[in-house]
């Protein structure tokens, strides 16, 4: 979310030559949100002993990436390459999700999933939109989003810890011994 709101600000830190990467960063940010939202499904597939499935998914993603690059890059340039990469990212995340859910009967979504999504959207989305609206697309707005959004995120997670099933330690950690 922060990259969606402040990608151009971050790119300016690298110099004027990166200004054309705004759209690329936004496309890949959306793909990253989708990939993060479904979790590491490929790891589940591998741990279930289905490495062949993982290989097939990776091969399909490669074909999608190369095929879309051939079609989109001549028309859209670097944005076309970003769309191709985003499609392959989503493939390597959504296919294992479908495999683990419909074939293995497992999925990453639990009772707290909707709460976790709402918390992140409220904290970072709300702070980011407000900071961008008030301060514009600037470094101070980005810093405000990270600090305020991070604090809100931690506070809201703490408040919703029972729904999120976050266990607190019953006893203090054992100190490490030296030597």
């Amino acid at each position: 979310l922060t990259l969606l709101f402040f990608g151009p600000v971050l790119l300016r830190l690298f110099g004027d030559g990166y200004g054309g990467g705004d759209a690329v960063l936004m496309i890949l940010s959306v793909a990253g949100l989708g990939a993060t939202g479904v979790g590491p499904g490929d790891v589940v597939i591998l741990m279930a002993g289905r490495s062949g499935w993982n290989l097939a998914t990776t091969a399909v993603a490669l074909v999608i990436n190369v095929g879309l690059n051939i079609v989109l890059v001549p028309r859209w340039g670097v944005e076309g390459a970003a769309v191709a990469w985003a499609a392959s990212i989503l493939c390597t995340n959504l296919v294992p999700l479908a495999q683990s859910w419909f074939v293995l009967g497992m999925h990453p979504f639990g009772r707290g999933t909707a709460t976790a999504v709402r918390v992140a959207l409220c904290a970072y989305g709300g702070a980011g939109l407000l900071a961008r609206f008030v301060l514009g697309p600037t470094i101070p707005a980005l810093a405000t989003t990270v600090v305020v959004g991070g604090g809100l995120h931690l506070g809201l997670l703490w408040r919703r810890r029972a729904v999120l099933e976050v266990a607190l330690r019953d006893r203090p950690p054992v100190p490490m011994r030296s030597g």
Side-chain angles (χ1 to χ4, degrees), residues 3-4 7 9 17 19 29-30 32 55-56 58 67 76 80 87 104 107-108 110 118 128-129 137-138 162 164 167:
L3 286 177
L4 279 173
V9 174
S29 295
V30 171
L55 176 63
T58 303
W76 296 349
L104 301 176
H107 63 81
R118 281 193 308 271
L129 284 174
T138 61
L164 296 169

Side-chain angles (χ1 to χ4, degrees), residues 6-22 25 139:
F6 296 102
V9 174
L10 289 171
L11 289 174
R12 278 196 306 250
L13 294 174
F14 295 103
D16 294 334
Y18 291 90
D22 298 357
L25 193 54
I139 297 291

Side-chain angles (χ1 to χ4, degrees), residues 53-164:
W53 293 3
N54 190 42
L55 176 63
T57 300
T58 303
V60 168
L62 175 64
V63 169
I64 288 171
N65 194 329
V66 171
L68 286 176
N69 271 300
I70 290 169
V71 172
L72 298 178
V73 168
R75 295 179 187 163
W76 296 349
V78 70
E79 288 86 0
V83 169
W85 191 11
S88 64
I89 289 169
L90 292 173
C91 174
T92 58
N93 284 276
L94 296 177
V95 169
L97 172 66
Q99 292 168 333
S100 62
W101 197 337
F102 298 112
V103 179
L104 301 176
M106 300 174 357
H107 63 81
F109 309 115
R111 195 173 68 128
T113 301
T115 299
V117 169
R118 281 193 308 271
V119 163
L121 286 174
C122 287
Y124 283 103
L129 284 174
L130 186 61
R132 178 136 180 173
F133 179 74
V134 172
L135 302 172
T138 61
I139 297 291
L142 170 61
T144 300
T145 298
V146 171
V147 171
V148 172
L152 279 171
H153 196 227
L154 287 173
L156 290 170
L157 288 175
W158 177 259
R159 187 155 189 211
R160 304 296 295 157
R161 67 187 179 278
V163 174
L164 296 169

